[in-house]
Amino acid sequence: MLTKHIISGFLFGLSVSLISWTVGLILNSILAKRRYYQKLSHLNFITSSKLNRRIGLRYFKWVVKNTPFKYFNTQLKLGPKNKDLRQIRYQMTLAETSHLIGFILVMLVAVYYSITKGLVFGSFVMLANILMNLYPSLLQQQNKRRIDQLIRKLNNVNRDTVR
């Protein structure tokens, strides 16, 4: 019985998390038109690179880079077609915020199912939500910090060449 709740909770969590991506995109496109959206581009839940390593973000990054997930949002890649760091950062903010919206929505679903179906079922819905929504958002925050460093370096180089 416990195994059934674990498996069904995780699979339900995966499917609800996938649906939350679409809902997150829709709600994010509405939010992006608001004045306060710029403040969302500077969210930083985990600033410590040590803590990022402890929670396994580097393994998650490997999974994203080496599985079909790498084809999901190709606008986030730096390359010959995509050189504008500010535009890449903006796309990262869109992806991060969409995942955060999805995370909150699925968290509400997980709480509901924890109460109605049981704590084990709800916990595994939440585990899937963490993997499918929270970790991608944390990865985007980490990548935005790296992009910000690159932008600062390029601005310093450009300032030095003007002098």
Side-chain angles (χ1 to χ4, degrees):
M1 186 68 166
L2 183 65
T3 306
K4 180 183 173 190
H5 281 292
I6 290 171
I7 293 170
S8 62
F10 190 74
L11 291 176
F12 180 75
L14 287 176
S15 58
V16 170
S17 293
L18 286 172
I19 292 167
S20 78
W21 290 357
T22 306
V23 175
L25 283 170
I26 293 167
L27 291 176
N28 191 33
S29 67
I30 294 167
L31 281 177
K33 295 175 178 136
R34 304 290 184 251
R35 275 183 278 146
Y36 56 82
Y37 191 78
Q38 184 61 28
K39 292 179 184 174
L40 293 175
S41 72
H42 299 292
L43 289 176
N44 249 335
F45 296 131
I46 300 176
T47 56
S48 166
S49 58
K50 190 176 186 179
L51 185 55
N52 278 335
R53 277 193 307 277
R54 280 193 178 152
I55 65 170
L57 203 56
R58 66 179 166 193
Y59 301 114
F60 182 78
K61 184 178 183 177
W62 184 90
V63 168
V64 170
K65 285 173 66 173
N66 296 297
T67 64
F69 284 111
K70 67 183 171 189
Y71 301 113
F72 275 94
N73 198 346
T74 56
Q75 296 172 338
L76 300 179
K77 291 183 181 142
L78 185 62
K81 292 181 182 178
N82 212 4
K83 293 180 183 178
D84 185 5
L85 293 177
R86 293 188 193 284
Q87 182 61 28
I88 292 172
R89 190 185 189 290
Y90 177 73
Q91 292 298 324
M92 286 179 176
T93 301
L94 290 176
E96 170 196 3
T97 309
S98 295
H99 280 293
L100 283 176
I101 291 168
F103 178 75
I104 291 167
L105 293 173
V106 177
M107 183 175 64
L108 295 173
V109 170
V111 167
Y112 172 77
Y113 279 104
S114 292
I115 294 167
T116 60
K117 273 197 169 247
L119 192 57
V120 173
F121 186 90
S123 296
F124 278 87
V125 170
M126 194 61 193
L127 177 65
N129 186 28
I130 289 169
L131 293 173
M132 300 294 284
N133 279 317
L134 184 61
Y135 269 46
S137 186
L138 293 174
L139 184 61
Q140 293 307 330
Q141 287 179 5
Q142 183 184 50
N143 289 337
K144 283 192 324 184
R145 286 191 298 272
R146 292 175 47 218
I147 291 277
D148 287 343
Q149 287 175 343
L150 259 171
I151 290 171
R152 279 193 298 275
K153 275 185 184 178
L154 288 173
N155 285 341
N156 288 338
V157 167
N158 289 340
R159 223 178 296 138
D160 290 342
T161 54
V162 170
R163 293 180 187 177

